[in-house]
Amino acid sequence: MTQTSESPVAVEDQKPATRTRIHRAWFVAAVTFVTITGAAAFRSLPGLLIDPLHQEFGWSRGTIGAAVSINLALYGLTAPFAAALMDRFGIRRVVAVALTMIALGSGLTVWMTAAWQLLLCWGLLVGLGTGSMALAFAATVTNRWFTERRGLVTGILTAASASGQLIFLPVLSLMVERHDWRPAAITVALAALAVVPFVWLLLRDHPADVGLKPYGAKEFVPKPEPVPGAARRAVTVLFAAARTGPFWLLAGTFAICGASTNGLIQTHFVPAAHDHGMPVTAAASLLAVIGLFDVAGTVASGWFTDRCEPRRLLAVYYALRGISLLFLPMLLAPSVHPPMLFFIVFYGLDWVATVPPTVALCREHYGEDSAIVFGWVLASHQVGAALVAFLGGVARDVFGSYDMVWYASGALCAAAALMALVIRRRPAAVHPALG
């Protein structure tokens, strides 16, 4: 009997040979990786510009840190709304607009003459753009296109940001040192624009768009209808999640994660090392090495998350990170030496290894709404990063060094390790929708 059904399931069943080919989900993941890598260029820039902007305009480090703080806060606070907007308008449209905003904000900085313009371009525009394609973007792609290997894919996509740092940091630091900070800003703008065609032509919103099942799925999953009221849904999910204990524990631990990575090391490591006589290019190269080992650490963390209890992984990651920060003030010196290299490798492996188990815990507790919940958890991550980016600059202005900031962050990481262990496990079969 000839098959006549036109349903997506029948179409899939008529093509048994596709099982021998690479699933389309992996190509979507690859495009997502490239997109996040391109957007990560701007994430590499703030720490390189604190001293040049201070010298050229006379702005205090606290003022420059305030712009970084706004950027980091918006990066997080935009994420849950971006996840809801992706449900409403599709991934491609949201990400293409976000990349354009990053390019616009970065490009306009070359003409700024006042501090408020820095806050507007660097803080507002780029913050909104990067927030719209933050880790909630990776979580949305993973949830839609994969039912197997989710931990591994989450780790790979999370590592994309570190890959961007690895690629752009050495180049941007050379530009800043040998020429000026403006060519570096233009490079970032062009990098964001260059990714837009890849997103528009190659990215697809859902496996059903091309008549496929998600990777590892046994049944065809129809594409859900667009969800109206994106902002209302994001807020509704927040209020529902806020009534549960795991949300606050995840938000608290991830706030400390942001404080000890983006807010602390990414923003203040280069100027702190420069305070000890280390050349800017050498310090930026060390940050790039962190990005190199971050890729390996995050992918490995994704692999471990598929096999180990996520909350125990989080406790180990935060405890080791806190210990390493306590030793950092003793390691800063005019030149790079083996103990500093050990710290860089160690910190790189642990940089965002926390993301795969955090995403897994959100999925475990919040099911279909996990991408939006993770967006709010990511918001706490960036609020923590924003506070330390600002307070770190103020501490440097007041105390003349960053030592107190390193010690305080180490203590916070110890608290995060304890908080992770308190998170209760939820039966795998229970995945309620919050919205």
Side-chain angles (χ1 to χ4, degrees):
M1 180 177 177
T2 304
Q3 291 182 335
T4 59
S5 172
E6 296 181 0
S7 70
V9 177
V11 172
E12 185 74 7
D13 290 341
Q14 293 174 16
K15 300 179 180 180
T18 58
R19 294 181 180 276
T20 62
R21 298 201 298 264
I22 298 176
H23 195 283
R24 179 68 173 268
W26 293 108
F27 291 102
V28 172
V31 174
T32 304
F33 185 94
V34 172
T35 302
I36 297 175
T37 299
F42 199 88
R43 314 300 314 163
S44 306
L45 200 54
L48 301 178
L49 299 191
I50 291 178
D51 286 339
L53 292 177
H54 173 70
Q55 293 169 5
E56 178 172 339
F57 297 105
W59 301 332
S60 70
R61 291 176 176 84
T63 299
I64 301 170
V68 180
S69 179
I70 293 172
N71 177 286
L72 292 173
L74 287 176
Y75 176 87
L77 294 172
T78 305
F81 295 99
L85 285 172
M86 288 176 189
D87 287 341
R88 176 66 178 89
F89 298 105
I91 297 174
R92 286 196 302 171
R93 292 178 182 176
V94 173
V95 173
V97 171
L99 286 166
T100 304
M101 290 183 67
I102 293 172
L104 182 64
S106 182
L108 288 175
T109 57
V110 301
W111 289 289
M112 65 183 179
T113 56
W116 68 266
Q117 296 166 346
L118 175 68
L119 299 177
L120 176 64
C121 296
W122 196 350
L124 182 63
L125 288 178
V126 177
L128 289 174
T130 53
S132 297
M133 33 178 314
L135 293 175
F137 169 40
T140 301
V141 170
T142 303
N143 289 346
R144 290 186 181 184
W145 281 89
F146 293 86
T147 58
E148 292 182 356
R149 309 297 186 196
R150 280 177 167 174
L152 177 62
V153 174
T154 301
I156 292 172
L157 296 183
T158 302
S161 181
S163 298
Q165 176 176 296
L166 173 65
I167 294 169
F168 289 104
L169 257 176
V171 176
L172 296 177
S173 65
L174 282 174
M175 287 183 177
V176 171
E177 186 172 61
R178 296 185 179 180
H179 303 286
D180 188 22
W181 61 269
R182 290 176 177 83
I186 291 297
T187 299
V188 168
L190 294 177
L193 284 178
V195 181
V196 174
F198 290 94
V199 171
W200 195 254
L201 296 175
L202 301 177
L203 194 62
R204 291 296 179 268
D205 293 332
H206 197 278
D209 290 340
V210 288
L212 292 175
K213 305 172 186 176
Y215 179 82
K218 296 181 179 179
E219 297 180 356
F220 183 84
V221 178
K223 183 177 180 178
E225 293 295 325
V227 181
R232 182 174 64 252
R233 184 185 176 207
V235 174
T236 300
V237 169
L238 170 63
F239 285 148
R243 293 196 294 268
T244 65
F247 173 79
W248 293 106
L249 291 170
L250 289 169
T253 56
F254 224 42
I256 294 172
C257 178
S260 56
T261 52
N262 300 85
L264 181 65
I265 297 296
Q266 190 171 60
T267 303
H268 294 294
F269 178 80
V270 171
H274 191 56
D275 284 346
H276 287 76
M278 185 180 293
V280 171
T281 51
S285 297
L286 289 177
L287 273 186
V289 174
I290 285 181
L292 173 64
F293 285 93
D294 181 13
V295 174
T298 309
V299 173
S301 178
W303 187 87
F304 283 125
T305 301
D306 287 331
R307 292 161 176 79
C308 304
E309 189 177 343
R311 65 193 187 100
R312 295 187 183 277
L313 287 176
L314 285 180
V316 171
Y317 295 156
Y318 286 121
L320 293 177
R321 182 183 299 179
I323 293 171
S324 66
L325 284 173
L326 297 178
F327 285 96
L328 181 57
M330 296 179 285
L331 302 178
L332 292 169
S335 60
V336 179
H337 48 86
M340 173 57 79
L341 288 176
F342 179 80
F343 169 84
I344 292 297
V345 172
F346 185 87
Y347 213 81
L349 291 172
D350 192 58
W351 183 266
V352 284
T354 55
V355 173
T358 301
V359 172
L361 287 168
C362 286
R363 189 182 300 120
E364 176 183 319
H365 286 272
Y366 304 107
E368 294 178 358
D369 291 316
S370 61
I372 296 177
V373 173
F374 178 69
W376 286 113
V377 171
L378 178 62
S380 71
H381 180 282
Q382 295 307 116
V383 169
L387 286 173
V388 172
F390 172 66
L391 294 176
V394 172
R396 171 61 178 79
D397 289 334
V398 173
F399 299 109
S401 76
Y402 287 99
D403 288 357
M404 291 300 299
V405 183
W406 307 130
Y407 295 137
S409 297
L412 285 174
C413 288
L418 295 176
M419 292 167 64
L421 291 176
V422 176
I423 301 173
R424 293 182 179 180
R425 300 190 63 182
R426 188 183 191 96
V430 180
H431 293 300
L434 297 176

